[in-house]
Amino acid sequence: MTTESKDSTVVVRPARNVAGALRLPGDKSISHRYAMLAAVAEGTTRLENFSTGADCASTLACLATLGVELERTKDAVLIQGRGPKLQQPDRPLDCGNSGSTMRMLSGILAGQAFSSELVGDESLSRRPMARIIAPLEAMGAQIAANDGGCPPLRITGTHLKAIDYKMPVASAQVKSALLFAGLLAEGETRVEEPVRTRDHGELALRAFGAEVTQQGNQARIAGGQKLRAIEAEIPGDLSSAAFFLCAAALFPGSQLQISDLLLNPTRARLLDILILMGVGISVAKLEDKHGELVGSVEVDGRDLRGALIAGADTAALIDEIPVLAAIAPYTASGIEVRDARELRVKESDRIASIVTNLRAMGAEVQETENGLKIPGRQTLHGAEIDSFNDHRIAMAFAVAALRAEGETTIHRADAAGISCPGFFAALEALSER
């Protein structure tokens, strides 16, 4: 695998196997939430194995602008909590490419006694934020946005009132934003999802000492609770692991071990899907760390069957669908994805990005408004691929390229650094030729 700096191009050569051992930087979803809650807790929080991705760096930068004292050492991130009251920023809060930062931090800012502005890069500025604007305004905040509810967001905080809210679309980020706002509100806030999503927000709140009640698809939190600082080691990022797991799955006989990996049941559906597709997966050394399940995963590559991803599975696998789609042509019966309209409003239109790149590699693929249908038993060839400045597209097609005929060139490959810096070097180290 070679790189060129002028447009951050990466050339991926075919491999004959994937093998080795890997430990990944901290989970991005947990890193965001722990950092935000540490900022409004009392005391100094120490977070080891904090995500190295650019998105979580954006969260830390925003917190610093809000008067939070923090230090990033070689081993940990130290965050001195300010309690529930942050400092009015003297400039816009730059969320970079991170929708997680913008959505979840909005929940905390809605309960502050000052006005603030959240801005982002060109991609984030096109992503709709109406799903957080409506419920946060119902709690009493005032939020101004561009047409379509797109950033920048100008938030006038206030003393919030609790809300009983049924989310029209499942979103863990929106749920966390409302629970964070509920922590600062008067009364008990109840949030109900149409289908269950990842519960890192609920678990993080409990880790910092808050009482959160979960029943079915509903979570409840009483306002006015005080958070206490914690010391935690963040487990390896499961969404980043997905690319390496799928790379190993491409080659019968591959052997890959990923240690200290997040295995939260609301996130680990990917492992179930890969097992259903015929991949050999075993889990060992299970531990509970602040409510999060952590363990070591071993992958034994075998011939791949196909899969149907729909309904609750689509919500659970929303970050992993790009790489599953990228390996779909190599399966026996293909992969069909339904109910995935959410992919249209990610860092890129991921449905369109997947289709464009698969077709460039010679694959047959059917695009629908809400998903994809990709037949199996196809042979792909190397091609010129665009990441569309989307980290998951860049990494997904690096995986697809490992079994293609000939070299694949991925342009704007530095997008991978949003969530997984060092991805291409790690993939190269595991690839046998």
Side-chain angles (χ1 to χ4, degrees):
M1 202 172 299
T2 59
T3 62
E4 301 171 14
S5 60
K6 63 179 180 179
D7 71 341
S8 65
T9 295
V10 169
V11 177
V12 183
R13 295 177 292 127
R16 59 179 177 82
N17 201 10
V18 167
L22 188 65
R23 186 176 187 269
L24 291 165
D27 184 78
K28 191 166 72 128
S29 295
I30 296 175
S31 295
H32 281 302
R33 289 163 171 83
Y34 277 11
M36 291 180 195
L37 294 181
V40 293
E42 296 179 351
T44 300
T45 291
R46 177 184 174 88
L47 301 175
E48 297 182 10
N49 199 38
F50 192 84
S51 171
T52 56
D55 276 3
C56 290
S58 292
T59 287
L60 295 180
C62 287
L63 294 176
T65 305
L66 290 161
V68 178
E69 293 184 17
L70 53 88
E71 178 185 1
R72 188 159 198 167
T73 70
K74 179 182 177 183
D75 300 319
V77 172
L78 304 176
I79 301 174
Q80 177 63 52
R82 294 180 56 94
K85 295 183 179 179
L86 298 174
Q87 176 181 297
Q88 183 168 2
D90 58 4
R91 58 186 180 277
L93 300 165
D94 187 356
C95 300
N97 188 250
S98 178
S100 297
T101 303
M102 184 168 286
R103 291 191 178 97
M104 292 189 289
L105 192 56
S106 292
I108 293 174
L109 293 173
Q112 302 298 314
F114 55 72
S115 295
S116 54
E117 183 178 21
L118 292 162
V119 300
D121 66 9
E122 182 181 355
S123 171
L124 183 55
S125 297
R126 295 194 300 267
R127 297 178 68 180
M129 296 290 157
R131 291 179 195 168
I132 58 166
I133 293 173
L136 290 176
E137 286 192 329
M139 297 178 79
Q142 297 179 25
I143 304 178
N146 286 346
D147 291 345
C150 292
L153 302 184
R154 293 167 289 278
I155 301 175
T156 302
T158 188
H159 181 69
L160 300 174
K161 301 293 185 183
I163 189 174
D164 190 345
Y165 189 69
K166 290 188 176 182
M167 294 169 52
V169 178
S171 168
Q173 292 176 10
V174 175
K175 176 176 61 173
S176 290
L178 299 183
L179 292 175
F180 292 177
L183 184 70
L184 305 174
E186 180 181 337
E188 182 182 69
T189 293
R190 294 182 292 276
V191 183
E192 185 174 341
E193 306 177 274
V195 297
R196 189 183 183 201
T197 63
R198 59 187 66 177
D199 61 357
H200 300 307
E202 296 96 308
L203 294 177
L205 283 160
R206 288 195 190 115
F208 280 86
E211 182 177 339
V212 182
T213 303
Q214 288 174 275
Q215 184 175 10
N217 294 343
Q218 185 184 90
R220 296 180 292 162
I221 187 168
Q225 301 183 65
K226 291 185 178 180
L227 303 184
R228 301 184 302 272
I230 65 171
E231 292 190 4
E233 181 179 4
I234 299 173
D237 189 283
L238 183 55
S239 292
S240 295
F243 300 95
F244 299 102
L245 294 171
C246 287
L250 283 177
F251 301 95
S254 63
Q255 296 283 336
L256 176 66
Q257 181 185 71
I258 306 179
S259 59
D260 298 311
L261 186 64
L262 175 69
L263 294 173
N264 180 306
T266 65
R267 289 279 298 283
R269 182 58 178 158
L270 173 67
L271 301 183
D272 298 330
I273 292 294
L274 289 176
I275 290 170
L276 289 171
M277 292 173 64
V279 182
I281 292 179
S282 60
V283 176
K285 301 178 182 178
L286 284 175
E287 296 180 76
D288 183 300
K289 294 186 178 181
H290 291 289
E292 295 285 3
L293 198 60
V294 183
S296 177
V297 174
E298 294 187 2
V299 182
D300 176 15
R302 302 172 188 171
D303 291 332
L304 287 174
R305 298 189 286 269
L308 170 64
I309 300 170
D313 278 346
T314 300
L317 293 164
I318 200 69
D319 286 340
E320 289 74 47
I321 286 173
V323 70
L324 287 170
I327 68 170
Y330 303 117
T331 65
S333 56
I335 290 178
E336 182 176 358
V337 178
R338 301 175 185 169
D339 310 312
R341 184 186 294 269
E342 178 75 8
L343 291 176
R344 296 284 189 189
V345 291
K346 292 290 188 178
E347 283 83 341
S348 69
D349 178 339
R350 285 183 175 158
I351 292 176
S353 299
I354 290 165
V355 169
T356 298
N357 285 338
L358 280 177
R359 287 176 177 165
M361 298 179 77
E364 177 187 344
V365 53
Q366 179 182 341
E367 177 181 0
T368 68
E369 179 60 30
N370 299 323
L372 301 152
K373 190 171 184 179
I374 305 164
R377 300 189 186 280
Q378 301 192 61
T379 299
L380 303 190
H381 57 73
E384 299 277 333
I385 295 298
D386 190 354
S387 77
F388 298 94
N389 277 329
D390 188 325
H391 55 127
R392 300 202 192 280
I393 297 300
M395 293 186 284
F397 282 89
V399 172
L402 293 178
R403 262 191 65 172
E405 296 180 349
E407 294 182 343
T408 295
T409 301
I410 302 175
H411 296 284
R412 296 192 281 182
D414 59 342
I418 290 293
S419 60
C420 193
F423 167 78
F424 293 103
L427 188 65
E428 173 69 9
L430 296 169
S431 301
E432 296 182 350
R433 294 184 171 85

